[in-house]
Amino acid sequence: MVEIAVKHLQSTTGARLVAGDPERVCRGVEIDSRQVGPDSVFVAFPGERVDGNAFAPAALSAGAGAVVLTREPDDSLVSLALECGAAILVTDDPTEFLLRFAQGYRARLRCTVIGVTGSIGKTTTKDVLAACLSKRFRVHATAGNFNSLIGLPLTILSAPADTQMLVLEMGMSDFGEIERLSKCAQPTYGIITKVGTSHIGMLGSREGIARAKAEIVAGMPPSSENFEGHHSALIMHGEDDFTPYIIDRYARPAGVDVVLAGTSTDDDVCATHVELDDEGCPVFDLTFEDGSSFKTRLAVPGAQSVPNALFAAAVAHRLGVPGFEIDQAFGELEMTGRRTQVRRAASGARIIDDSYNASPESMAAGLNLFSALPCSGSRIAVLGEIGELGDDAERLHALVGSYAAAKRPSVLICVGGENARVMADAARLMGLDEGDIQVVSDCDKLIERFAGVIGERDLVLVKGSRFVGLDRFVEEVCADAR
């Protein structure tokens, strides 16, 4: 983790030192006073309900080496800091403070940074890439959902000093956020997994989403430069309809080379002869731009994960990881929770747990896997509402309902409010029998009506945005499973 003297913390971030010894050395950074340990930097974030500044005394008492406030400290706090041998700094913008702090530490690490963004598949790509790179390098990667303007710098600042590869997931909800993250992280390699419809309610259109994702090149060096031993590249899906737009408008003007990955033999890195085995895991031939090729199996159910694996393999191959080690990593994958996990219910049924989040594209991918897996009982699709779709919400929920109907589930259960009813109506319009469609208002009602009726031979898909809380249904039906 980061280790820094207060005077260097001040000069790196532009914060103002109010009290304490400039030579005081701090280690690590926290934004939750309950997590503060000896010598930590505690950064206070003011909020609508909780003001982090109020927890500065607790952080000092816990051993913080410095506290960073957004308001002037009173005399009692200054006295406590001096008594504890700690420093107090003040900043107008704690988010910008963290970004500058992390950018300074990233420069000191001198590791290779890979940034991963996209509408869907970011976490899967990050997990696969970290697994591949771990075969040869010391890797530090984003944990959980630490991919925001606060989470990404915290990830960087937690990286061990001997990190060789830093894999950073980059999320966003508005224009300008990916640019700030990229300038902080300065990635040598960037990955854009997909230009989909997530956040379309905030960004207005898929073109807006493409512009926001393309901001990843803002912090990347031109490919003509030798940056810490490597030449930059942006990896994208060869079959994404916005790939040419991003190349022409963003990558080429920035001087960043593009590597295309996909299922076309025209792509630089491609997967061919893709099939699903009996467990729903994809088996395919993987070919790199240098002509090397091997057959591999990805230990993640569903063909939708193949492009994510290709993005990861493209970077790993460029960084010198041999094909046999990429193949090993694919076969040993353990993914971040609730992303396309096939679990066993207490009744014996198989549950496709994809309850972490949802977009129209990932709903379709989940339904594809749901229909591809063998099933001798009932096929039950539990679909929750999708958030952040703005004015397109009704249209996109109707498309999901129509697509679900085309997969002919034995039962379709739509969970939520008005948009759940939109999905159900669309499925009905597309010919799914009335008796095979159910609508429930929330997860509590879902558990009450359906948790106890899943049979031993059934196959159940559980997919929805996080606010619907379908993970509770999964835990209920999988409780006491052996």
Side-chain angles (χ1 to χ4, degrees):
M1 68 177 69
V2 65
E3 181 173 316
I4 191 170
V6 167
K7 64 181 181 182
H8 297 309
L9 178 61
Q10 180 186 12
S11 63
T12 297
T13 63
R16 180 164 51 87
L17 180 62
V18 175
D21 181 3
E23 302 296 333
R24 174 69 154 91
V25 176
C26 302
R27 296 173 182 84
V29 59
E30 299 290 348
I31 61 172
D32 184 340
S33 62
R34 294 168 296 184
Q35 303 299 319
V36 168
D39 304 323
S40 295
V41 177
F42 170 66
V43 184
F45 278 79
E48 294 181 2
R49 292 179 296 176
V50 178
D51 184 357
N53 293 281
F55 296 92
L60 290 168
S61 298
V67 293
V68 182
L69 310 178
T70 59
R71 67 187 186 202
E72 293 296 322
D74 57 29
D75 292 342
S76 63
L77 187 63
V78 171
S79 296
L80 178 60
L82 295 176
E83 179 184 329
C84 295
I88 298 178
L89 297 97
V90 174
T91 181
D92 294 331
D93 186 343
T95 300
E96 185 62 23
F97 173 92
L98 273 184
L99 289 167
R100 291 181 182 180
F101 189 7
Q103 183 177 351
Y105 184 53
R106 181 263 179 271
R108 285 165 50 197
L109 284 173
R110 299 195 65 80
C111 60
T112 299
V113 177
I114 305 98
V116 184
T117 191
S119 297
I120 58 174
K122 293 186 296 294
T123 300
T124 299
T125 301
K126 177 260 300 181
D127 287 345
V128 178
L129 180 56
C132 291
L133 295 179
S134 293
K135 292 292 183 180
R136 289 268 157 162
F137 305 102
R138 292 184 294 276
V139 178
H140 186 72
T142 300
N145 61 349
F146 272 53
N147 61 9
S148 65
L149 289 172
I150 296 173
L152 179 138
L154 289 175
T155 299
I156 295 174
L157 292 163
S158 66
D162 64 351
T163 297
Q164 295 175 298
M165 297 288 163
L166 186 54
V167 184
L168 299 174
E169 187 177 326
M170 297 181 177
M172 61 90 203
S173 57
D174 206 348
F175 294 110
E177 293 182 9
I178 296 292
E179 179 177 357
R180 295 178 74 186
L181 294 176
S182 182
K183 288 181 175 178
C184 170
Q186 299 174 50
T188 303
Y189 297 96
I191 299 172
I192 300 176
T193 62
K194 174 73 175 177
V195 176
T197 53
S198 298
H199 307 300
I200 198 169
M202 299 175 220
L203 300 175
S205 66
R206 288 188 65 228
E207 180 179 332
I209 293 168
R211 296 200 329 260
K213 300 301 183 184
E215 291 173 5
I216 195 171
V217 303
M220 296 175 65
S223 299
S224 58
E225 296 181 6
N226 187 323
F227 187 67
E228 298 175 352
H230 300 282
H231 295 272
S232 67
L234 178 64
I235 292 84
M236 290 191 292
H237 201 308
E239 286 72 69
D240 193 309
D241 56 338
F242 273 95
T243 291
Y245 171 86
I246 294 173
I247 292 173
D248 292 340
R249 293 286 191 92
Y250 295 91
R252 189 170 291 146
V256 175
D257 291 342
V258 172
V259 176
L260 299 181
T263 55
S264 168
T265 54
D266 292 331
D267 293 324
D268 301 303
V269 179
C270 71
T272 54
H273 308 110
V274 180
E275 298 178 347
L276 297 184
D277 65 14
D278 290 343
E279 297 178 12
C281 294
V283 178
F284 55 95
D285 293 329
L286 173 56
T287 304
F288 293 107
E289 51 195 316
D290 61 7
S292 60
S293 180
F294 58 91
K295 192 174 189 67
T296 189
R297 177 185 183 271
L298 191 64
V300 180
Q304 76 277 1
S305 295
V306 171
N308 305 319
L310 295 179
F311 304 140
V315 174
H317 185 69
R318 284 190 161 227
L319 290 171
V321 180
F324 77 92
E325 290 185 347
I326 294 173
D327 179 43
Q328 287 176 356
F330 281 3
E332 298 167 354
L333 287 172
E334 293 184 9
M335 309 305 295
T336 298
R338 304 200 182 283
R339 287 173 168 86
T340 322
Q341 291 181 318
V342 179
R343 303 177 60 180
R344 188 67 66 174
S347 67
R350 285 176 302 159
I351 310 295
I352 304 172
D353 180 5
D354 204 356
S355 59
Y356 181 80
N357 216 336
S359 67
E361 295 87 355
S362 64
M363 282 284 204
L367 287 161
N368 287 341
L369 174 61
F370 171 70
S371 64
L373 289 178
C375 173
S376 59
S378 296
R379 294 182 185 269
I380 303 169
V382 180
L383 304 183
E385 289 183 305
I386 307 167
E388 301 178 343
L389 297 179
D391 293 339
D392 289 309
E394 181 175 350
R395 177 178 66 85
L396 292 173
H397 279 90
L399 286 173
V400 170
S402 299
Y403 197 78
K407 299 300 179 180
R408 311 307 299 175
S410 308
V411 181
L412 171 64
I413 305 171
C414 302
V415 186
E418 181 58 34
N419 286 321
R421 288 187 284 275
V422 169
M423 281 194 288
D425 289 343
R428 191 177 298 110
L429 182 64
M430 294 304 294
L432 199 61
D433 289 344
E434 179 72 35
D436 297 335
I437 303 171
Q438 301 288 331
V439 179
V440 293
S441 59
D442 54 45
C443 192
D444 289 332
K445 294 286 195 306
L446 175 69
I447 292 171
E448 179 183 334
R449 290 179 57 183
F450 296 102
V453 301
I454 297 172
E456 178 182 359
R457 297 181 299 156
D458 293 348
L459 176 67
V460 184
L461 170 66
V462 183
K463 179 79 174 166
S465 283
R466 294 184 70 184
F467 72 87
V468 187
L470 296 182
D471 56 308
R472 293 194 295 115
F473 176 75
V474 174
E475 292 308 315
E476 183 70 24
V477 298
C478 292
D480 301 322
R482 295 182 180 179

